[in-house]
Amino acid sequence: MGQPVASKGRGATPTVGKAMLNKYARAFFTRVLTPFAAFLIRRGVSPDTVTLIGTAGVVAGALVFYPMGEFFWGTVVITLFVFSDLVDGNMARQLGRSSRWGAFLDSTLDRVADGAIFGGLALWYAGIGDDNILCAVSIFCLASGQVVSYTKARGEAIGLPVAVNGLVERAERLVISLVAAGFAGLHKFGVPGIQYLLPIALWIVAVGSLVTLVQRVVTVRREAAEADAAAQESQGTEAAK
């Protein structure tokens, strides 16, 4: 997920709020996970190994438990392994190994994990869940999440800042979906009506992802136009000399 970008005017409050939440949440988990990260380092475990194991755990939790309707236990497994995303970064900082390869691997495997989560939900609704509409919504969440990430990566690859803080980015997609799935799984423990949280959450993520995609496309279009205009102006000035 991209770093929040400060903005001016009335729209600044949500952005600043998200930045502060991200800052304090990361600070808390850094303090909690630093001893565990140090322990793994002493045992000779590399950050890349933690990244791979974490992704494998998320994929297994999503594709084994979710298609069977075991949303509570699936979410427990996924949540435990999701924390590897913080552990590997903590290990890299302790080792002083901030590498392009590590960043690439982490970002790539994040997409794999996200695809597994929504793919597992789609498999449930395509099978035992027997709901083609929610299956389609789950697939849309999967695809739109990948495209939202791609738009930022592609925009940055062509030299644009993509200075936009989307409505529903990766962290929001995961939190909304996993919290809803976990609570929906309590239906098997006798909690009535709570299973409807998951469909509601999927619709929220789908709509939010679409809005975020539009935000990023509009931002890239504006930044590209500004960059092209600046380049033409620079060329005109050089030609006039």
Side-chain angles (χ1 to χ4, degrees), residues 70-93:
E70 295 291 345
F71 297 125
F72 177 79
W73 294 115
T75 300
V76 169
V77 172
I78 291 169
T79 302
L80 289 174
F81 283 100
V82 158
F83 282 107
S84 67
D85 195 41
L86 298 176
V87 174
D88 59 8
N90 193 307
M91 292 172 66
R93 285 191 294 273

PDB file of all heavy atoms in Angstrom, residues 70-93:
ATOM      1  N   GLU A  70     -15.262 -22.713   6.409  1.00  0.00           N
ATOM      2  CA  GLU A  70     -14.657 -22.553   7.734  1.00  0.00           C
ATOM      3  C   GLU A  70     -14.014 -21.165   7.815  1.00  0.00           C
ATOM      4  O   GLU A  70     -12.791 -21.018   7.867  1.00  0.00           O
ATOM      5  CB  GLU A  70     -13.614 -23.653   7.973  1.00  0.00           C
ATOM      6  CG  GLU A  70     -14.194 -25.053   8.041  1.00  0.00           C
ATOM      7  CD  GLU A  70     -15.033 -25.263   9.306  1.00  0.00           C
ATOM      8  OE1 GLU A  70     -14.940 -24.449  10.238  1.00  0.00           O
ATOM      9  OE2 GLU A  70     -15.792 -26.261   9.343  1.00  0.00           O
ATOM     10  N   PHE A  71     -14.867 -20.153   7.850  1.00  0.00           N
ATOM     11  CA  PHE A  71     -14.365 -18.778   7.787  1.00  0.00           C
ATOM     12  C   PHE A  71     -13.638 -18.353   9.061  1.00  0.00           C
ATOM     13  O   PHE A  71     -12.667 -17.601   8.995  1.00  0.00           O
ATOM     14  CB  PHE A  71     -15.525 -17.814   7.501  1.00  0.00           C
ATOM     15  CG  PHE A  71     -16.187 -18.046   6.179  1.00  0.00           C
ATOM     16  CD1 PHE A  71     -17.547 -18.274   6.085  1.00  0.00           C
ATOM     17  CD2 PHE A  71     -15.436 -18.055   5.020  1.00  0.00           C
ATOM     18  CE1 PHE A  71     -18.157 -18.501   4.867  1.00  0.00           C
ATOM     19  CE2 PHE A  71     -16.030 -18.277   3.788  1.00  0.00           C
ATOM     20  CZ  PHE A  71     -17.395 -18.505   3.710  1.00  0.00           C
ATOM     21  N   PHE A  72     -14.107 -18.814  10.208  1.00  0.00           N
ATOM     22  CA  PHE A  72     -13.463 -18.396  11.458  1.00  0.00           C
ATOM     23  C   PHE A  72     -12.038 -18.934  11.534  1.00  0.00           C
ATOM     24  O   PHE A  72     -11.083 -18.178  11.730  1.00  0.00           O
ATOM     25  CB  PHE A  72     -14.269 -18.879  12.660  1.00  0.00           C
ATOM     26  CG  PHE A  72     -13.618 -18.534  13.977  1.00  0.00           C
ATOM     27  CD1 PHE A  72     -13.721 -17.251  14.493  1.00  0.00           C
ATOM     28  CD2 PHE A  72     -12.894 -19.488  14.681  1.00  0.00           C
ATOM     29  CE1 PHE A  72     -13.104 -16.918  15.703  1.00  0.00           C
ATOM     30  CE2 PHE A  72     -12.287 -19.169  15.891  1.00  0.00           C
ATOM     31  CZ  PHE A  72     -12.384 -17.880  16.395  1.00  0.00           C
ATOM     32  N   TRP A  73     -11.870 -20.248  11.371  1.00  0.00           N
ATOM     33  CA  TRP A  73     -10.542 -20.835  11.492  1.00  0.00           C
ATOM     34  C   TRP A  73      -9.647 -20.421  10.334  1.00  0.00           C
ATOM     35  O   TRP A  73      -8.428 -20.248  10.517  1.00  0.00           O
ATOM     36  CB  TRP A  73     -10.644 -22.352  11.601  1.00  0.00           C
ATOM     37  CG  TRP A  73     -11.304 -22.783  12.867  1.00  0.00           C
ATOM     38  CD1 TRP A  73     -12.500 -23.433  12.994  1.00  0.00           C
ATOM     39  CD2 TRP A  73     -10.830 -22.554  14.195  1.00  0.00           C
ATOM     40  NE1 TRP A  73     -12.805 -23.623  14.315  1.00  0.00           N
ATOM     41  CE2 TRP A  73     -11.796 -23.092  15.085  1.00  0.00           C
ATOM     42  CE3 TRP A  73      -9.705 -21.938  14.733  1.00  0.00           C
ATOM     43  CZ2 TRP A  73     -11.648 -23.046  16.466  1.00  0.00           C
ATOM     44  CZ3 TRP A  73      -9.562 -21.884  16.112  1.00  0.00           C
ATOM     45  CH2 TRP A  73     -10.517 -22.432  16.961  1.00  0.00           C
ATOM     46  N   GLY A  74     -10.232 -20.270   9.167  1.00  0.00           N
ATOM     47  CA  GLY A  74      -9.444 -19.782   8.036  1.00  0.00           C
ATOM     48  C   GLY A  74      -8.885 -18.395   8.303  1.00  0.00           C
ATOM     49  O   GLY A  74      -7.714 -18.111   8.019  1.00  0.00           O
ATOM     50  N   THR A  75      -9.708 -17.535   8.882  1.00  0.00           N
ATOM     51  CA  THR A  75      -9.268 -16.168   9.181  1.00  0.00           C
ATOM     52  C   THR A  75      -8.211 -16.165  10.280  1.00  0.00           C
ATOM     53  O   THR A  75      -7.262 -15.366  10.228  1.00  0.00           O
ATOM     54  CB  THR A  75     -10.477 -15.308   9.607  1.00  0.00           C
ATOM     55  OG1 THR A  75     -11.433 -15.290   8.537  1.00  0.00           O
ATOM     56  CG2 THR A  75     -10.040 -13.887   9.916  1.00  0.00           C
ATOM     57  N   VAL A  76      -8.347 -17.048  11.257  1.00  0.00           N
ATOM     58  CA  VAL A  76      -7.334 -17.153  12.311  1.00  0.00           C
ATOM     59  C   VAL A  76      -5.979 -17.518  11.706  1.00  0.00           C
ATOM     60  O   VAL A  76      -4.950 -16.894  12.005  1.00  0.00           O
ATOM     61  CB  VAL A  76      -7.749 -18.201  13.371  1.00  0.00           C
ATOM     62  CG1 VAL A  76      -6.577 -18.509  14.301  1.00  0.00           C
ATOM     63  CG2 VAL A  76      -8.939 -17.701  14.167  1.00  0.00           C
ATOM     64  N   VAL A  77      -5.972 -18.520  10.832  1.00  0.00           N
ATOM     65  CA  VAL A  77      -4.727 -18.952  10.187  1.00  0.00           C
ATOM     66  C   VAL A  77      -4.147 -17.827   9.334  1.00  0.00           C
ATOM     67  O   VAL A  77      -2.949 -17.518   9.401  1.00  0.00           O
ATOM     68  CB  VAL A  77      -4.968 -20.214   9.324  1.00  0.00           C
ATOM     69  CG1 VAL A  77      -3.729 -20.548   8.497  1.00  0.00           C
ATOM     70  CG2 VAL A  77      -5.348 -21.386  10.204  1.00  0.00           C
ATOM     71  N   ILE A  78      -4.995 -17.202   8.528  1.00  0.00           N
ATOM     72  CA  ILE A  78      -4.534 -16.131   7.652  1.00  0.00           C
ATOM     73  C   ILE A  78      -3.950 -14.975   8.465  1.00  0.00           C
ATOM     74  O   ILE A  78      -2.874 -14.449   8.148  1.00  0.00           O
ATOM     75  CB  ILE A  78      -5.689 -15.626   6.765  1.00  0.00           C
ATOM     76  CG1 ILE A  78      -6.071 -16.688   5.746  1.00  0.00           C
ATOM     77  CG2 ILE A  78      -5.308 -14.332   6.043  1.00  0.00           C
ATOM     78  CD1 ILE A  78      -7.368 -16.402   5.011  1.00  0.00           C
ATOM     79  N   THR A  79      -4.649 -14.587   9.525  1.00  0.00           N
ATOM     80  CA  THR A  79      -4.198 -13.460  10.338  1.00  0.00           C
ATOM     81  C   THR A  79      -2.832 -13.734  10.955  1.00  0.00           C
ATOM     82  O   THR A  79      -1.963 -12.851  11.000  1.00  0.00           O
ATOM     83  CB  THR A  79      -5.218 -13.148  11.446  1.00  0.00           C
ATOM     84  OG1 THR A  79      -6.486 -12.860  10.846  1.00  0.00           O
ATOM     85  CG2 THR A  79      -4.777 -11.952  12.269  1.00  0.00           C
ATOM     86  N   LEU A  80      -2.623 -14.947  11.438  1.00  0.00           N
ATOM     87  CA  LEU A  80      -1.328 -15.294  12.023  1.00  0.00           C
ATOM     88  C   LEU A  80      -0.199 -15.135  11.012  1.00  0.00           C
ATOM     89  O   LEU A  80       0.870 -14.607  11.335  1.00  0.00           O
ATOM     90  CB  LEU A  80      -1.358 -16.736  12.544  1.00  0.00           C
ATOM     91  CG  LEU A  80      -2.202 -16.979  13.796  1.00  0.00           C
ATOM     92  CD1 LEU A  80      -2.250 -18.479  14.110  1.00  0.00           C
ATOM     93  CD2 LEU A  80      -1.657 -16.203  14.986  1.00  0.00           C
ATOM     94  N   PHE A  81      -0.437 -15.557   9.790  1.00  0.00           N
ATOM     95  CA  PHE A  81       0.609 -15.483   8.779  1.00  0.00           C
ATOM     96  C   PHE A  81       0.719 -14.101   8.144  1.00  0.00           C
ATOM     97  O   PHE A  81       1.782 -13.752   7.610  1.00  0.00           O
ATOM     98  CB  PHE A  81       0.385 -16.551   7.699  1.00  0.00           C
ATOM     99  CG  PHE A  81       0.783 -17.931   8.130  1.00  0.00           C
ATOM    100  CD1 PHE A  81      -0.171 -18.846   8.554  1.00  0.00           C
ATOM    101  CD2 PHE A  81       2.113 -18.313   8.121  1.00  0.00           C
ATOM    102  CE1 PHE A  81       0.199 -20.117   8.969  1.00  0.00           C
ATOM    103  CE2 PHE A  81       2.495 -19.583   8.530  1.00  0.00           C
ATOM    104  CZ  PHE A  81       1.533 -20.488   8.957  1.00  0.00           C
ATOM    105  N   VAL A  82      -0.350 -13.309   8.188  1.00  0.00           N
ATOM    106  CA  VAL A  82      -0.293 -11.952   7.647  1.00  0.00           C
ATOM    107  C   VAL A  82       0.765 -11.126   8.388  1.00  0.00           C
ATOM    108  O   VAL A  82       1.423 -10.254   7.810  1.00  0.00           O
ATOM    109  CB  VAL A  82      -1.683 -11.274   7.732  1.00  0.00           C
ATOM    110  CG1 VAL A  82      -1.554  -9.758   7.694  1.00  0.00           C
ATOM    111  CG2 VAL A  82      -2.558 -11.737   6.580  1.00  0.00           C
ATOM    112  N   PHE A  83       0.967 -11.414   9.683  1.00  0.00           N
ATOM    113  CA  PHE A  83       1.945 -10.662  10.461  1.00  0.00           C
ATOM    114  C   PHE A  83       3.374 -10.876   9.967  1.00  0.00           C
ATOM    115  O   PHE A  83       4.274 -10.123  10.333  1.00  0.00           O
ATOM    116  CB  PHE A  83       1.845 -11.021  11.946  1.00  0.00           C
ATOM    117  CG  PHE A  83       0.688 -10.357  12.631  1.00  0.00           C
ATOM    118  CD1 PHE A  83      -0.438 -11.087  12.998  1.00  0.00           C
ATOM    119  CD2 PHE A  83       0.709  -9.001  12.898  1.00  0.00           C
ATOM    120  CE1 PHE A  83      -1.510 -10.471  13.619  1.00  0.00           C
ATOM    121  CE2 PHE A  83      -0.354  -8.377  13.530  1.00  0.00           C
ATOM    122  CZ  PHE A  83      -1.469  -9.113  13.894  1.00  0.00           C
ATOM    123  N   SER A  84       3.593 -11.885   9.141  1.00  0.00           N
ATOM    124  CA  SER A  84       4.934 -12.090   8.584  1.00  0.00           C
ATOM    125  C   SER A  84       5.352 -10.909   7.734  1.00  0.00           C
ATOM    126  O   SER A  84       6.551 -10.644   7.567  1.00  0.00           O
ATOM    127  CB  SER A  84       4.956 -13.376   7.737  1.00  0.00           C
ATOM    128  OG  SER A  84       4.151 -13.224   6.569  1.00  0.00           O
ATOM    129  N   ASP A  85       4.368 -10.181   7.195  1.00  0.00           N
ATOM    130  CA  ASP A  85       4.663  -9.009   6.370  1.00  0.00           C
ATOM    131  C   ASP A  85       5.352  -7.921   7.197  1.00  0.00           C
ATOM    132  O   ASP A  85       6.113  -7.123   6.667  1.00  0.00           O
ATOM    133  CB  ASP A  85       3.360  -8.472   5.769  1.00  0.00           C
ATOM    134  CG  ASP A  85       3.623  -7.507   4.619  1.00  0.00           C
ATOM    135  OD1 ASP A  85       4.528  -7.775   3.816  1.00  0.00           O
ATOM    136  OD2 ASP A  85       2.933  -6.463   4.551  1.00  0.00           O
ATOM    137  N   LEU A  86       5.058  -7.887   8.502  1.00  0.00           N
ATOM    138  CA  LEU A  86       5.723  -6.946   9.392  1.00  0.00           C
ATOM    139  C   LEU A  86       7.023  -7.524   9.933  1.00  0.00           C
ATOM    140  O   LEU A  86       7.998  -6.794  10.141  1.00  0.00           O
ATOM    141  CB  LEU A  86       4.791  -6.581  10.561  1.00  0.00           C
ATOM    142  CG  LEU A  86       3.487  -5.876  10.188  1.00  0.00           C
ATOM    143  CD1 LEU A  86       2.631  -5.670  11.432  1.00  0.00           C
ATOM    144  CD2 LEU A  86       3.765  -4.540   9.522  1.00  0.00           C
ATOM    145  N   VAL A  87       7.042  -8.843  10.146  1.00  0.00           N
ATOM    146  CA  VAL A  87       8.238  -9.478  10.706  1.00  0.00           C
ATOM    147  C   VAL A  87       9.398  -9.398   9.725  1.00  0.00           C
ATOM    148  O   VAL A  87      10.535  -9.061  10.114  1.00  0.00           O
ATOM    149  CB  VAL A  87       7.948 -10.949  11.072  1.00  0.00           C
ATOM    150  CG1 VAL A  87       9.233 -11.653  11.512  1.00  0.00           C
ATOM    151  CG2 VAL A  87       6.915 -11.028  12.184  1.00  0.00           C
ATOM    152  N   ASP A  88       9.161  -9.703   8.439  1.00  0.00           N
ATOM    153  CA  ASP A  88      10.275  -9.696   7.484  1.00  0.00           C
ATOM    154  C   ASP A  88      10.856  -8.298   7.308  1.00  0.00           C
ATOM    155  O   ASP A  88      12.077  -8.127   7.187  1.00  0.00           O
ATOM    156  CB  ASP A  88       9.873 -10.310   6.133  1.00  0.00           C
ATOM    157  CG  ASP A  88       8.715  -9.579   5.458  1.00  0.00           C
ATOM    158  OD1 ASP A  88       8.311  -8.507   5.934  1.00  0.00           O
ATOM    159  OD2 ASP A  88       8.194 -10.100   4.459  1.00  0.00           O
ATOM    160  N   GLY A  89       9.993  -7.280   7.323  1.00  0.00           N
ATOM    161  CA  GLY A  89      10.490  -5.915   7.241  1.00  0.00           C
ATOM    162  C   GLY A  89      11.305  -5.534   8.467  1.00  0.00           C
ATOM    163  O   GLY A  89      12.334  -4.856   8.364  1.00  0.00           O
ATOM    164  N   ASN A  90      10.840  -5.977   9.633  1.00  0.00           N
ATOM    165  CA  ASN A  90      11.565  -5.720  10.876  1.00  0.00           C
ATOM    166  C   ASN A  90      12.937  -6.389  10.838  1.00  0.00           C
ATOM    167  O   ASN A  90      13.956  -5.786  11.225  1.00  0.00           O
ATOM    168  CB  ASN A  90      10.744  -6.250  12.057  1.00  0.00           C
ATOM    169  CG  ASN A  90      11.252  -5.768  13.395  1.00  0.00           C
ATOM    170  OD1 ASN A  90      12.425  -5.902  13.711  1.00  0.00           O
ATOM    171  ND2 ASN A  90      10.358  -5.226  14.209  1.00  0.00           N
ATOM    172  N   MET A  91      12.983  -7.618  10.352  1.00  0.00           N
ATOM    173  CA  MET A  91      14.261  -8.336  10.245  1.00  0.00           C
ATOM    174  C   MET A  91      15.214  -7.632   9.293  1.00  0.00           C
ATOM    175  O   MET A  91      16.414  -7.506   9.578  1.00  0.00           O
ATOM    176  CB  MET A  91      14.005  -9.769   9.766  1.00  0.00           C
ATOM    177  CG  MET A  91      13.264 -10.636  10.777  1.00  0.00           C
ATOM    178  SD  MET A  91      12.790 -12.247  10.077  1.00  0.00           S
ATOM    179  CE  MET A  91      14.411 -12.988   9.805  1.00  0.00           C
ATOM    180  N   ALA A  92      14.683  -7.171   8.167  1.00  0.00           N
ATOM    181  CA  ALA A  92      15.528  -6.484   7.184  1.00  0.00           C
ATOM    182  C   ALA A  92      16.132  -5.218   7.774  1.00  0.00           C
ATOM    183  O   ALA A  92      17.305  -4.900   7.533  1.00  0.00           O
ATOM    184  CB  ALA A  92      14.708  -6.160   5.930  1.00  0.00           C
ATOM    185  N   ARG A  93      15.336  -4.495   8.559  1.00  0.00           N
ATOM    186  CA  ARG A  93      15.865  -3.265   9.178  1.00  0.00           C
ATOM    187  C   ARG A  93      16.939  -3.595  10.212  1.00  0.00           C
ATOM    188  O   ARG A  93      17.958  -2.906  10.294  1.00  0.00           O
ATOM    189  CB  ARG A  93      14.722  -2.484   9.831  1.00  0.00           C
ATOM    190  CG  ARG A  93      13.839  -1.753   8.833  1.00  0.00           C
ATOM    191  CD  ARG A  93      12.894  -0.794   9.525  1.00  0.00           C
ATOM    192  NE  ARG A  93      11.918  -1.513  10.354  1.00  0.00           N
ATOM    193  CZ  ARG A  93      10.768  -1.986   9.904  1.00  0.00           C
ATOM    194  NH1 ARG A  93      10.449  -1.842   8.623  1.00  0.00           N
ATOM    195  NH2 ARG A  93       9.928  -2.604  10.723  1.00  0.00           N
TER     196      ARG A  93
END
